[in-house]
Amino acid sequence: LASAPSTVVDLIAARIALLAHDPRLVCQAAAVCGVESERAVLQAMTRTELQGTFDAAVDNLTLRGLLRIAEDQVAFSHVLVRDVVYDATPADVRRSLHAAAATELSSTMVDSGVRGHHHDLAGSADLAAEHLMRAGDVAVHQHDDDGAASLYQRASMAARRALMGGSDDPDSRLRFVALSVKLADALRAGGQIALARGVVEEARMYSDTPFFEAQILRASAHLSTSEDQNPQAIASLRRATGLAIQIGNMELVAELYLDLSALLLQAGDVEAAMRELEEGLDVVTLSEGPSAKSGPASLWRLLMRLAQLKSARADRSAALHLGEHALIHARRARSRLGSARIQSMLAADWERAGNSGKAQRYREAAVSEMRRLGDRRATAELLLAGTAPTRTLLRIAPSSLREAKELAAEVGWSDGVRQATEAGRP
């Protein structure tokens, strides 16, 4: 009794230490994957190291109450067991198991963050930075600023390790600078301006090319905007635009002109914003204008914003002309969200121009796109767009009103539910 384990953690560690080779290896592999893992993944991870059969090892662990089997899932009986097993696994074994997990999960549809996590703990800094950056991009699209900042920060640490480890190739430096810019933007969105400024200044040490310098200047402009320093932000964006034009990166040029127009609109200078957008349109299309057959992927955004400004100035023909070409470029870029937004804009513009037939066709096309994208709030808004006093209610089918009411209720949009209810009354 004097030598018996005194705590639960010591007891679990002692039980793990007494396991035979095969059950202990399977238990360590399961701990690397988490509290729950797929049976097929565990079997593939331990295939080359097992001395016996995988099923025998799992049965041994199940009999001892360390693991539970549920269909194709293997789970620990308690999270504490998993933590003790993971912490007690030798570092070299843990790294090799993380590498095996990353290899096995590479052929599945698992989240990039999970693969990046395994690559990171396996010591593959370049692959970890790449996968964690993709996971951060997904978090940004889902408007998860805190999650994006966390993922970008971990990816940036991995990229920094790759650079410090002697990987001074251009791709590694490009990845580190790109990650620093994304991390700074995520931190800025979270209100951590000072920390974001430090990230940008660190990345500036590696901005030894015009492309890197343009990226850093753009990030600095965003931070200046957050600090209400619009003149400095505009100056930084103009310098960045000149560098982007110099290297011929038209995608970056289009994004910089969009940023510049947004700043000018925020300052209330609509005319200057329109001039910048028109200049950007000429630059990225090599003076071909809206009818250009090619251009950067974000060309539709330039055209759409310019069309919105023209519409606000009551220049209907120019707004419709730009909107039609914006739709063509959004489809060329395969942006379904862009197509839906432009079709919704065109529906409103054609309605104001008095062509209700075209307006209805564009509105129905926008609704169809939003349905496929799964955006319930936007779909409900488009379905209810025809209930405005300026439009006839006869075109709104009862089934569309019911659908709009259901979608609005699902997302908690009370005004939409009320509007659909009132529109459905005789």
Side-chain angles (χ1 to χ4, degrees), residues 27-38:
C27 201
Q28 290 169 342
V32 161
C33 290
V35 178
E36 294 183 357
S37 53
E38 294 203 11

Side-chain angles (χ1 to χ4, degrees), residues 201-276:
E201 291 304 319
E202 181 189 9
R204 196 183 295 276
M205 299 188 312
Y206 297 93
S207 59
D208 53 356
T209 65
F211 178 77
F212 293 164
E213 184 64 26
Q215 294 276 18
I216 296 299
L217 285 169
R218 186 186 183 197
S220 298
H222 291 170
L223 293 175
S224 297
T225 304
S226 300
E227 295 170 337
D228 294 328
Q229 298 176 357
N230 284 355
Q232 292 90 325
I234 291 173
S236 296
L237 285 174
R238 291 192 189 281
R239 288 173 54 201
T241 304
L243 291 169
I245 293 173
Q246 175 186 337
I247 61 178
N249 191 322
M250 293 303 152
E251 184 63 42
L252 181 57
V253 170
E255 292 175 356
L256 287 167
Y257 273 109
L258 284 166
D259 290 346
L260 191 54
S261 68
L263 269 178
L264 292 169
L265 285 173
Q266 184 178 342
D269 196 345
V270 179
E271 291 294 337
M274 291 178 63
R275 286 197 301 270
E276 293 296 340

Side-chain angles (χ1 to χ4, degrees), residues 89-99 121-122:
T89 303
D92 58 333
V93 176
R94 195 158 53 208
R95 281 194 299 271
S96 64
L97 287 173
H98 276 295
L121 295 178

Side-chain angles (χ1 to χ4, degrees), residues 132-216:
L132 289 169
M133 181 169 64
R134 292 177 190 170
D137 293 341
V138 173
V140 168
H141 288 304
Q142 295 173 345
H143 304 288
D144 182 6
D145 293 327
D146 291 336
S150 177
L151 288 164
Y152 285 145
Q153 187 169 17
R154 190 170 175 186
S156 180
M157 292 171 63
R160 187 185 294 108
R161 285 201 305 273
L163 282 175
M164 298 305 176
S167 177
D168 196 28
D169 61 286
D171 289 339
S172 296
R173 284 184 281 119
L174 173 62
R175 185 186 298 114
F176 179 71
V177 174
L179 276 167
S180 297
V181 171
K182 291 182 177 185
L183 175 58
D185 197 50
L187 291 171
R188 177 186 61 84
Q192 303 182 61
I193 307 299
L195 185 56
R197 184 72 71 181
V199 170
V200 170
E201 291 304 319
E202 181 189 9
R204 196 183 295 276
M205 299 188 312
Y206 297 93
S207 59
D208 53 356
T209 65
F211 178 77
F212 293 164
E213 184 64 26
Q215 294 276 18
I216 296 299

Side-chain angles (χ1 to χ4, degrees), residues 358-386:
K358 275 196 172 183
Q360 185 65 14
R361 286 196 295 273
Y362 276 120
R363 188 173 297 112
E364 290 172 355
V367 169
S368 178
E369 289 284 1
M370 284 299 181
R371 281 181 181 139
R372 284 196 288 268
L373 286 168
D375 192 336
R376 292 174 291 180
R377 170 66 181 261
T379 305
E381 288 176 348
L382 288 171
L383 287 170
L384 291 172

